[in-house]
């Protein structure tokens, strides 16, 4: 006979939740059909999506990759999918992608901007992931592999591939031993990129670099006796003397003695995404430091600096970018001696930097304003001078607060580079598209270039946005 | 003190630089390159192709000028200019000559201080409609919607035309040619209007060209030609006669292919057509009068070809654009292209 006592000595397995409280059903009920109104909206939205998809998906499905003209594309679509079918003619991208990427850059020299792009990623790694060995190494190795594949794909000769790979492997070695040392590459990168993209004697880039070295050296020596700001002023004057009067003679002599260099590529041939990146990256990297100085200037107690900064910021924020671009194109030429050949891309880069700095300055001023007054007082109490306080206490916090704003400005700036088409530069969206359309074979192409260019812009801007989110998480030290 | 010395040096250098560049012709020779203001991309008139070589009717005139001045038609730098930047670029000296399908008008000639030295294409504004609209004349377009590029002279011409004919229309403003075509093809407008040369090129890009017709009316005069700065007549002469050389060559039947034979024949035979002898530098040195090489005309014809060759290669009936010579035929064939005598 069984004992009347019942002692459960094991737990019953828990039952699954009721069907309407779990899984997809629950998610649907809570998110899409939580009330009558929401259900109606969901159905309407779903119908709208289906309706749009019914146009776009068949169109996308009818893509043609192999054709030599729009007419041939249309014939192929008609032959495969019936006479009324329409489809994208991706053949135009397949045949003209190089112009979208490089503009009219000479085809034999494509390895130069490609290598510059790989070096750009490597030199960005210490900025984006400072001191992270794994990240630096990953980026360098990935870029080496990609670079080799790209160079082989572009049909580069083996000598250049070997040189590029050797450099990249050397950088990978640096990244694995001392990732922080890659910062030197970052400092040198503007000159390397300038030399790679424009070519000419190597001494031009070296000469420009020497000016910055002179600047840094004079500043370092002078700032101890006369202070940071005056020291920078003296250094700037000395460096300008080098750039304006001495550099030409010295580099000219060097170029005759040691004619090392690459074939010169004129600015007019630089177009497509190469142009967008040259303008975008230069403006982004130059506008941040200038913006910081302007923001500090605006909060300065010295009336002259304060009013100059306010005037500069408000003027350039108050004027549309297109106006500034036109001014760069026309006004500058009227002020310069007749028939001066002052490169249009350079002019555009300068005004875009000025324009972007004004925006960045205001974003950073927002960060500065958000810091509690106690932080400034704490810095004073520690006996730090102005620049030490800014460098060690104020700026790290202010910049951290400003990250979303700064990145959002950068994204806007990068997209604004397409506006340079208005002054006749070959931007990927309008400039190159117009050239492609002016070819008889591709007359009548409409969406394909826009989709292609838009896609690349999206990838770049989305990456920037994701990086900013990563950076915010990484730097988050409070309110966990 | 030091600053004023510096500024003085800058000012002096500026003045010297200004004085040193006396004429455009000397500038071009010193530079060894012609800076030619071109379109950013217009089918048949001026655009770079897939490998970056510029081709087109306007481009050939640039090349002719380079061949005349520098002896080499490849020594041209094409500076792409938009509609907004073109005249300022010429005035500020960014380009030596503007050959960018620009219409010669009174105000551009006077107020903008340009000199149009010739007309290398006589254009005019026309209409394109769908065939099934059943319209055979632009005057029947009463109440039609018309796609038009905003901010152009074509917009004003259109308004004038409909006003004079006392008919009404609804404009549909579009930004550029590609968008206009897209709208027109999608049925957003009954008619599309732009320069007749552009219409023909646009029609070729439509998916069913045979469904569209270009109406016979031409409602405006659009003489397109090369322009130079006011006040440098010597340079204007060089550009003008570089172009006229192409016309004379066509008139005399000299082509890229036979120019060498003709030079030989003209050298051997002193009774050969005297104008051809002068043109090709066989008899006397006509180039000296203009400050260019004696072989200037030979270089143009040898390297670029005559006007007819250029026309047929870029916009003629065998190209997808398929323009007939029409007004642009030589005067001997009932057109307007007429070069003064070379003597």
């Amino acid at each position: 006979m069984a004992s009347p006592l019942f002692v459960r000595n094991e737990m019953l397995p828990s039952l699954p939740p009721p069907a309407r409280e779990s899984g997809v059903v629950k998610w649907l009920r809570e998110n899409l059909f939580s009330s009558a109104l929401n259900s109606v909206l969901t159905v309407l939205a779903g119908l709208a999506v289906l309706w749009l998809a019914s146009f776009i998906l068949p169109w996308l499905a009818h893509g043609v990759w192999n054709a030599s003209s729009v007419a041939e594309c249309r014939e192929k679509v008609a032959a495969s999918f019936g006479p009324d079918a329409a489809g994208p003619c991706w053949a135009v991208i397949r045949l003209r992608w190089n112009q979208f990427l490089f503009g009219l850059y000479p085809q034999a020299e494509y390895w130069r901007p490609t290598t510059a792009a790989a070096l750009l990623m490597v030199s960005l790694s210490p900025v984006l992931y400072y001191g992270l060995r794994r990240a630096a190494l990953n980026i360098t190795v990935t870029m080496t592999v990609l670079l080799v594949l790209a160079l082989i794909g572009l049909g580069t000769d083996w000598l250049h591939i070997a040189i590029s790979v050797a450099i990249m492997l050397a950088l990978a070695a640096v990244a694995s031993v001392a990732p922080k040392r890659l910062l030197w590459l970052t400092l040198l990168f503007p000159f390397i990129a300038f030399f790679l993209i424009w070519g000419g004697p190597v001494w031009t880039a070296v000469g420009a670099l020497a000016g910055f070295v002179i600047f840094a050296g004079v500043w370092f020596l002078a700032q101890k006796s006369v202070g940071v700001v005056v020291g920078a002023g003296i250094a700037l004057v000395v460096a300008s003397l080098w750039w304006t009067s001495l550099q030409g003679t010295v580099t000219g002599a060097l170029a005759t003695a040691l004619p090392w260099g690459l074939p010169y590529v004129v600015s007019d041939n630089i177009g497509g995404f190469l142009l967008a990146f040259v303008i975008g990256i230069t403006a982004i990297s130059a506008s941040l430091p200038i913006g910081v100085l302007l923001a500090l200037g605006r909060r300065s107690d010295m009336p002259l600096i304060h009013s100059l900064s306010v005037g500069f910021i408000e003027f350039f924020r108050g004027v549309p970018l297109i106006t500034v671009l036109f001014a760069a194109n026309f006004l500058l030429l009227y002020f310069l001696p007749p028939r001066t050949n002052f490169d249009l891309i350079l002019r555009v880069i300068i005004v875009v930097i000025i324009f972007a700095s004004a925006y960045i300055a205001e974003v950073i001023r927002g960060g500065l304003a958000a810091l509690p007054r106690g932080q400034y007082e704490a810095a004073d109490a520690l006996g730090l001078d102005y620049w030490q306080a800014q460098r060690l206490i104020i700026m790290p916090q202010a910049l951290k607060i400003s990250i979303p704003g700064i990145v959002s400005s950068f994204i806007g700036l990068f997209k604004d580079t397409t506006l340079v088409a208005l002054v006749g530069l070959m931007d990927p969206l309008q400039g190159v598209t117009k050239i492609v359309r002016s070819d008889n074979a591709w007359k009548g192409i409409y969406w394909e270039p826009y989709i292609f260019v838009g896609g690349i812009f999206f990838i770049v801007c989305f990456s920037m946005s994701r990086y900013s989110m990563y950076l915010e998480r990484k730097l988050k030290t409070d309110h966990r | 003190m030091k600053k004023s010395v510096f500024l003085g040096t800058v000012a002096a250098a500026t003045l010297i630089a200004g004085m040193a560049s006396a004429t455009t012709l000397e500038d071009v020779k010193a530079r060894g390159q012609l800076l030619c203001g071109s379109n950013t991309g217009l089918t048949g008139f001026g655009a770079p192709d897939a490998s970056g070589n510029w081709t087109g009717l306007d481009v050939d005139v640039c090349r002719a000028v380079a061949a005349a001045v520098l002896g080499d038609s490849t020594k041209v730098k094409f500076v792409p200019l938009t509609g907004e930047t073109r005249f300022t670029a010429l005035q500020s000296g960014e380009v030596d000559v503007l050959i960018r399908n620009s219409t010669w008008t009174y105000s551009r000639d006077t107020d903008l201080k340009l000199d149009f030295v010739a007309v290398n294409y006589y254009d005019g504004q026309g209409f394109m409609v769908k065939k099934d609209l059943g319209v055979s004349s632009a005057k029947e377009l009463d109440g039609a919607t018309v796609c038009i590029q905003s901010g152009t002279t074509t917009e004003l011409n259109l308004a004038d035309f409909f006003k004079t004919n006392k008919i009404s229309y609804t404009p549909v403003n579009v930004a550029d040619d590609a968008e206009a075509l897209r709208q027109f093809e999608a049925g957003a407008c009954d008619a599309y209007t732009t320069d007749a040369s552009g219409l023909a090129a646009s029609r070729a890009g439509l998916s069913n060209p045979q469904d569209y017709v270009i109406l016979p009316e031409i409602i405006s005069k659009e003489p397109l030609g090369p322009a130079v700065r006011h006040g440098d007549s010597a340079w204007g002469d060089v550009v003008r006669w570089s172009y006229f050389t192409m016309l004379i060559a066509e008139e005399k039947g000299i082509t890229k292919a036979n120019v060498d034979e003709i030079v030989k024949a003209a050298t051997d035979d002193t009774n050969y057509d005297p104008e051809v002898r002068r043109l090709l530098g066989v008899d006397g040195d006509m180039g000296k009068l203009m400050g260019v090489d004696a072989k200037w005309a030979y270089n143009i014809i040898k390297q670029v070809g005559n006007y007819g060759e250029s026309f047929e290669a870029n916009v003629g009936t065998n190209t997808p654009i398929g323009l007939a010579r029409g007004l642009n035929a030589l005067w001997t064939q009932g057109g307007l292209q007429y070069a003064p005598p070379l003597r």
Side-chain angles (χ1 to χ4, degrees):
Chain A
M1 189 184 144
S3 162
L5 286 173
F6 172 78
V7 179
R8 178 172 287 285
N9 51 15
E10 60 188 31
M11 291 292 283
L12 276 176
S14 57
L15 291 169
R20 58 191 301 268
E21 286 298 332
S22 72
V24 183
V25 178
K26 177 176 183 235
W27 185 87
L28 283 176
R29 197 168 55 80
E30 285 185 355
N31 293 293
L32 299 179
F33 302 99
S34 56
S35 69
L37 178 64
N38 277 357
S39 307
V40 172
L41 288 178
T42 300
V43 171
L44 285 180
L47 287 176
V49 169
L50 281 179
W51 182 72
L52 280 177
S54 72
F55 289 104
I56 296 169
L57 287 183
W59 186 75
L60 281 178
H62 296 167
V64 173
W65 285 92
N66 279 307
S68 58
S69 70
V70 177
E72 198 184 332
C73 269
R74 285 174 182 149
E75 276 168 27
K76 285 197 171 176
V77 171
S80 328
F81 307 104
D84 292 331
C89 188
W90 300 119
V92 65
I93 307 295
R94 198 177 67 89
L95 291 175
R96 303 296 280 268
W97 62 271
N98 51 352
Q99 280 183 328
F100 283 102
L101 294 192
F102 300 107
L104 300 178
Y105 206 85
Q107 303 214 356
E109 310 289 334
Y110 278 173
W111 65 272
R112 284 156 51 176
T114 315
T115 311
L119 287 176
L120 169 72
M121 293 311 293
V122 177
S123 57
L124 276 179
S125 71
V127 181
L128 300 183
Y129 306 98
Y130 183 64
L132 292 182
R133 186 186 311 258
R134 263 192 61 173
L137 198 57
N138 279 348
I139 290 178
T140 315
V141 172
T142 318
M143 288 323 294
T144 311
V145 174
L146 287 178
L147 179 65
V148 171
L149 293 178
L151 289 181
I152 292 174
L154 290 169
T156 317
D157 55 314
W158 291 103
L159 176 67
H160 286 128
I161 296 183
I163 295 175
S164 304
V165 170
I167 295 173
M168 292 299 282
L169 288 179
L171 290 173
V174 174
S176 68
V177 178
K180 290 181 183 175
R181 289 289 160 81
L182 278 181
L183 214 51
W184 287 103
L185 175 73
T186 314
L187 291 177
L188 289 178
F189 178 76
F191 307 98
I192 300 176
F194 170 80
F195 170 63
L196 276 175
I197 292 172
W198 272 273
V202 70
W203 304 111
T204 316
V206 173
L209 174 63
F212 282 97
V213 173
I214 290 172
F215 177 86
V218 171
W219 177 77
F220 186 73
L221 293 177
Q223 57 122 355
K224 283 176 185 159
S225 46
V226 294
V228 174
V229 178
V230 181
I234 294 172
L236 188 64
V237 170
V238 176
S240 305
L241 275 178
W242 160 260
W243 282 320
T244 50
S245 44
L246 282 174
Q247 189 199 342
T249 330
V250 176
T251 54
L254 277 170
T256 1
L258 302 166
W260 298 335
L262 292 167
Y264 185 64
V265 177
V266 288
S267 286
D268 301 73
N269 288 341
I270 294 173
F273 276 101
L274 176 59
L275 179 71
F277 275 100
V278 165
I279 298 176
I281 303 271
T282 320
I284 284 174
S285 43
S287 66
L288 189 59
I290 299 177
V292 168
L293 290 179
L294 281 173
L296 290 177
R298 188 163 190 171
R299 289 174 67 88
S300 166
D301 297 330
M302 289 180 262
L304 183 67
I305 292 184
H306 173 78
S307 47
L308 279 179
S309 303
V310 171
F312 182 95
I313 293 171
E314 293 304 331
F315 178 76
F316 282 102
R317 279 207 319 160
V319 177
L321 180 56
I322 294 177
T323 317
V324 188
L325 286 176
F326 277 128
N329 196 6
F330 301 142
L331 279 179
L332 277 178
L333 280 180
Y334 281 114
F335 291 130
L336 293 167
R339 303 187 182 110
T340 314
N341 197 5
F342 187 17
D343 199 283
L344 179 58
I345 294 188
L346 191 60
R347 278 182 270 159
V348 164
I349 288 179
I350 291 173
V351 295
V352 174
I353 289 175
I354 291 174
F355 188 81
S357 317
Y359 274 85
I360 295 291
E362 283 301 275
V363 173
I364 291 174
R365 193 172 67 94
L368 289 172
L371 276 196
R373 176 122 202 93
Q375 295 292 328
Y376 293 87
E377 286 162 359
D380 289 342
L382 284 171
L384 301 176
D385 71 15
Y386 179 76
W387 293 104
Q388 285 171 329
Q390 295 300 337
R391 187 161 54 89
L392 299 170
I393 298 197
I394 310 299
M395 269 305 150
Q397 299 184 68
L399 287 177
K400 191 182 79 181
I401 299 171
S402 322
I403 288 172
I406 293 175
V407 173
S408 152
S409 294
F410 284 168
I411 289 176
L413 169 65
F414 184 61
K415 290 190 293 186
D416 280 351
T417 57
T418 52
L419 289 177
V420 301
L422 288 166
V423 291
L425 289 179
M426 224 182 303
D427 85 296
L429 197 65
Q430 284 183 59
V432 176
T433 306
K434 198 167 178 198
I435 288 175
V436 170
R437 279 207 201 107
S438 69
D439 187 338
N440 276 321
W442 302 116
K443 192 120 188 131
I445 274 286
Y446 193 76
W447 293 111
E448 295 83 347
Y450 289 151
I451 294 175
F452 175 68
V453 173
I456 295 187
F457 267 110
F458 177 79
I459 293 171
V460 174
C461 295
F462 186 65
S463 317
M464 285 204 253
S465 156
R466 297 307 292 189
Y467 172 74
S468 103
M469 286 165 76
Y470 155 82
L471 200 58
E472 278 171 60
R473 274 199 310 277
K474 182 180 141 186
L475 298 179
K476 196 170 184 180
T477 47
D478 48 298
H479 315 302
R480 276 187 208 269
Chain B
M1 171 61 203
K2 261 191 178 160
K3 198 173 179 187
S4 64
V5 169
F6 176 71
L7 286 177
T9 319
V10 170
T14 314
L15 273 180
I16 292 166
M19 286 181 334
S21 51
T23 70
T24 314
L25 180 58
E26 285 166 20
D27 279 350
V28 174
K29 280 183 177 168
R31 200 190 299 125
Q33 193 180 41
L34 176 75
L35 302 177
C36 191
S38 309
N39 201 304
T40 48
L42 179 65
T43 320
F45 284 81
D49 66 8
S51 42
N53 300 316
W54 287 76
T55 52
L57 196 66
D58 285 342
V59 164
D60 279 351
V61 181
C62 291
R63 294 201 187 282
V65 176
V69 178
L70 304 166
D72 185 348
S73 69
T74 60
K75 288 188 176 161
V76 192
K77 186 170 130 184
F78 295 97
V79 181
L81 299 172
T82 63
E84 291 86 8
T85 61
R86 52 183 168 175
F87 299 125
T88 325
L90 181 62
Q91 286 157 345
S92 64
E94 203 176 340
V95 295
D96 300 316
V97 57
L98 177 76
I99 314 183
R100 187 204 173 278
N101 55 289
S102 301
T103 308
W104 183 353
T105 67
Y106 170 74
S107 59
R108 285 174 183 176
D109 213 340
T110 54
D111 190 29
L112 289 183
K113 305 225 176 322
L114 308 177
D115 275 347
F116 285 86
V117 294
V119 176
N120 71 328
Y121 189 84
Y122 288 95
D123 212 338
Q125 189 178 340
F127 291 93
M128 175 161 61
V129 294
K130 284 205 176 81
K131 219 173 223 171
D132 53 22
L133 200 64
V135 168
S136 58
S137 156
K139 288 175 186 157
E140 298 167 23
L141 283 173
D142 195 9
T145 49
V146 183
C147 277
I148 173 107
Q149 290 181 45
S150 47
T152 58
T153 48
T154 50
E155 199 177 6
L156 308 174
N157 295 335
L158 181 74
D160 288 352
F161 174 77
F162 276 84
K163 202 185 265 174
T164 31
N165 286 297
K166 298 191 175 58
I167 49 180
S168 69
Y169 74 105
T170 316
V172 177
N173 284 306
V174 291
D176 59 15
D177 191 51
E179 195 194 331
L181 273 187
R182 177 71 22 186
Q183 298 276 19
F184 181 50
E185 209 169 10
C189 45
D190 302 320
Y192 172 43
T193 179
T194 187
D195 287 351
S197 60
L199 278 184
S202 299
R203 183 168 173 263
L206 291 165
S207 47
N208 295 308
Q210 66 281 3
D211 291 351
Y212 302 86
V213 283
I214 294 175
L215 298 178
E217 279 90 351
I218 296 293
I219 64 167
S220 73
K221 290 183 287 188
E222 310 278 349
L224 312 179
V228 297
R229 281 180 290 277
H230 247 341
D232 195 350
S233 308
W235 174 243
D237 290 343
V238 172
V239 177
R240 180 183 295 119
W241 282 95
S242 300
Y243 172 64
F244 282 159
T245 298
M246 296 173 76
L247 287 185
I248 299 172
E250 190 189 3
E251 196 180 321
K252 301 288 179 189
I254 313 172
T255 65
K256 213 191 263 191
N258 70 11
V259 63
D260 283 319
E261 290 166 34
I262 289 180
V263 168
K264 194 166 174 299
T267 318
D268 296 344
D269 178 6
T270 47
N271 293 326
Y272 204 85
D273 183 342
E275 190 167 8
V276 173
R277 282 170 60 91
R278 283 194 297 273
L279 180 75
L280 296 175
V282 176
D283 181 16
D285 184 354
M286 298 303 268
K288 200 167 65 185
L289 304 179
M290 190 159 80
V292 297
D293 191 74
K295 286 261 178 199
W296 61 289
Y298 169 81
N299 288 335
I300 293 176
I301 303 167
K302 181 71 187 165
Q303 298 175 20
V304 185
N306 67 35
Y307 181 73
E309 287 180 283
S310 168
F311 192 97
E312 290 307 327
N314 293 306
V315 294
T317 40
N318 292 327
T319 64
I321 306 173
L323 293 175
R325 284 295 286 270
L327 288 180
N328 295 292
L330 290 182
W331 63 286
T332 48
Q333 287 150 24
L336 292 176
Q337 293 292 0
Y338 183 104
L342 186 94
R343 63 166 65 250

